[in-house]
Amino acid sequence: MGDEKALIAVLRGETRPAPPIWLMRQAGRYLPEYRALRAKAGSFLETCYTPSIAAEITLQPIRRFGFDAAILFSDILVVPDALGQKVSFESGSGPKLEPIETPDHLNRLAETFDVERLSPVFETIDRVKSALPADVAFIGFCGAPWTVASYMIAGQGTPDQAPARLFAYRHPDAFARLIDKLVDASIAYLARQIAAGVEVVQLFDTWAGVLPPSEFDKWVVAPLQKIVAGLKEKRRDVPVIAFVRGAGAHLPDLAARLGADGLGLDTSIDPKWAADRVSNNVALQGNLDPLALLAGGESLDRQIDSILRVFEGRPHIFNLGHGILPETPLEHVSRLIERVRVGRR
Ligand code: CP3
C-alpha cells in the first residue's frame, strides 16, 4: 500500500481496513480552544486573514483528535470579499454582504479576480504545512459558484436561496457572467492553494439542492465540471472532492460526469443506494448525521456501524453529512473516531 497518506490513497481508489476520517467544520465552535482564540481575535474575517491564528485554528482539531486530514481554516466568502464585495460576519446571524439586486450591481465587482488579494490564506497554508504530522493530509477548499453566487445575490443566508433563483430566471445572461467569473476565480484560487501546499481540494456546493433539474445542470454540474477540468489541466495529481449537498438522485450522474475523485454524501443519502450506483473509481465521503453525533449514545453507535458496513471494501472517507454542530460534546467526537478506527487493528 506504500506510505501515502490514507486520505490521498483512498482518493486514488485504494481501500483501507478502516476509512480515513475528518469532519466538515472540524475547526470551529464546538472546540473550547477555538472559542478562546476567537474571543481574543478581531472579526471573523480578520481571523481568517491572520495567518498565525488561522494556522493555529486549522491545527487545533488535529492536536485534540488526530484526524486523518486538516482542512484550511478560512471561509467560502473570502472570494466575494476579494472580488470587492463588502462581506462581514455578525455573531449569531451569519454572513452579511452588500446584495446584488440588479445586473448593474455586478459592475461593482472587480473586472478580474486578483488571487494575491488572498495572500494571507496562502501564508496560512505555508505555516500549517510545516507543522502538520507526516500522516495527516491537508485539504484546501472553495465554495462552488452556485453556492457563492447565492450569498452574493441575497447578501445573507436564506432558507431556499430564492433571491438567486429569481435573479437567474430574470437575468440569465448576467447570472451566467457571474457564474463564469466565479469559475475562473475558483480555478485560480485553488491552484494557488495547491501551490502553497494543500494536497486535496474540496468544492462545497451547499445549496445545490434547491434547484430544479434544468437549473441544476446549468448552475451546478457545468460550473463544477469546468473547475475540475481546469484544475486537472494544471495539477492532474491533486485529488478533488465535490460536496454537492442535496444532489439526491443526481448523484450517480455527478460521479460519472464531474471528473472528481471523491463525492461527499449529505445526510439524506442512503449509503447503500449510493454505493450500489457509484463505481469504485470514485471515493464516497460521509455521511453521519451531525445530529446523531450531537445526540451520542446507542443511536450514534448504530449509525456509525451501519455506514462502516455499507462502505466496507470500497474507497470510503468517513465524515458527517454536513458540518459538525457547535453544541456537539467533545466525548462524542472521540467515541466516533475510536469506533471508526477499531478496524485499523
Ligand atoms: O471546515 C472547517 O473547519 C474549515 C473552515 C470552514 C468555515 N466555513 C469556517 C467558519 C469551511 C470549510 C467553511 C465553509 C462554508 N462557509 C460553507 C460551506 C459548507 C457548509 O457548512 O455548508 C458555507 C455555506 C459558508 C458560509 C458561512 N460561514 C456561513 C453561512 C456562516 C455562518 C453560519 C455558521 O455556520 O456559523 C459562516 C461562519 C463560519 N465559517 C464559522 C466558521 C468556523 C463560524 C464563525 C464564528 O466563529 O462565529
Side-chain angles (χ1 to χ4, degrees), residues 22-30 34-35 38 44 47-48 57-58 61 71-77 89-95 139 141-143 147 151 156-157 161 202-207 243 245 322-324 326:
W22 70 281
L23 304 181
M24 290 189 281
R25 292 289 182 100
Q26 68 187 20
R29 284 164 300 184
Y30 74 109
Y34 171 81
R35 295 193 300 266
R38 279 282 290 117
F44 177 72
T47 311
C48 292
I57 295 174
T58 303
I71 180 160
L72 168 70
F73 178 77
S74 180
D75 198 84
I76 65 167
L77 299 180
F89 288 80
E90 287 154 29
S91 57
S93 63
I139 304 171
F141 71 92
C142 74
T147 287
Y151 285 99
Q156 59 184 20
Q161 305 301 4
Q202 175 155 317
L203 301 162
F204 284 93
D205 218 344
T206 302
W207 288 100
F243 174 63
R245 182 169 158 256
H322 198 192
I324 186 168

Side-chain angles (χ1 to χ4, degrees), residues 3 43 75 77 81 89 147 168 175-176 184 207 212 253 272 300:
D3 43 29
S43 69
D75 198 84
L77 299 180
D81 188 51
F89 288 80
T147 287
F175 192 71
D184 293 345
W207 288 100
D253 188 49
K272 178 152 181 6
L300 172 60

Side-chain angles (χ1 to χ4, degrees), residues 249-291:
H250 296 288
L251 214 95
D253 188 49
L254 291 179
R257 290 170 64 206
L258 286 189
D261 306 272
L263 271 189
L265 306 179
D266 67 54
T267 305
S268 72
I269 302 283
D270 174 2
K272 178 152 181 6
W273 180 88
D276 285 347
R277 282 163 183 79
V278 172
S279 80
N280 279 2
N281 59 13
V282 176
L284 292 174
Q285 173 174 280
N287 71 341
L288 180 70
D289 184 357
L291 279 172

Side-chain angles (χ1 to χ4, degrees), residues 146-217:
W146 160 250
T147 287
V148 174
S150 72
Y151 285 99
M152 292 176 79
I153 286 173
Q156 59 184 20
T158 67
D160 55 3
Q161 305 301 4
R165 289 155 67 192
L166 283 169
F167 191 103
Y169 287 129
R170 287 177 177 147
H171 315 291
D173 294 340
F175 192 71
R177 281 202 304 280
L178 174 58
I179 292 290
D180 285 346
K181 185 177 268 215
L182 291 169
V183 166
D184 293 345
S186 303
I187 295 169
Y189 182 40
L190 292 175
R192 186 68 184 78
Q193 289 185 36
I194 293 165
V198 304
E199 304 162 293
V200 172
V201 295
Q202 175 155 317
L203 301 162
F204 284 93
D205 218 344
T206 302
W207 288 100
V210 300
L211 292 173
S214 59
E215 305 299 293
F216 187 89
D217 223 58

Side-chain angles (χ1 to χ4, degrees), residues 97-118:
L97 300 83
E98 197 175 356
I100 294 172
E101 287 157 333
T102 65
D104 273 1
H105 289 177
L106 291 172
N107 299 328
R108 297 171 181 165
L109 301 176
E111 190 76 42
T112 54
F113 172 71
D114 174 8
V115 74
E116 291 312 323
R117 289 189 68 161
L118 296 174

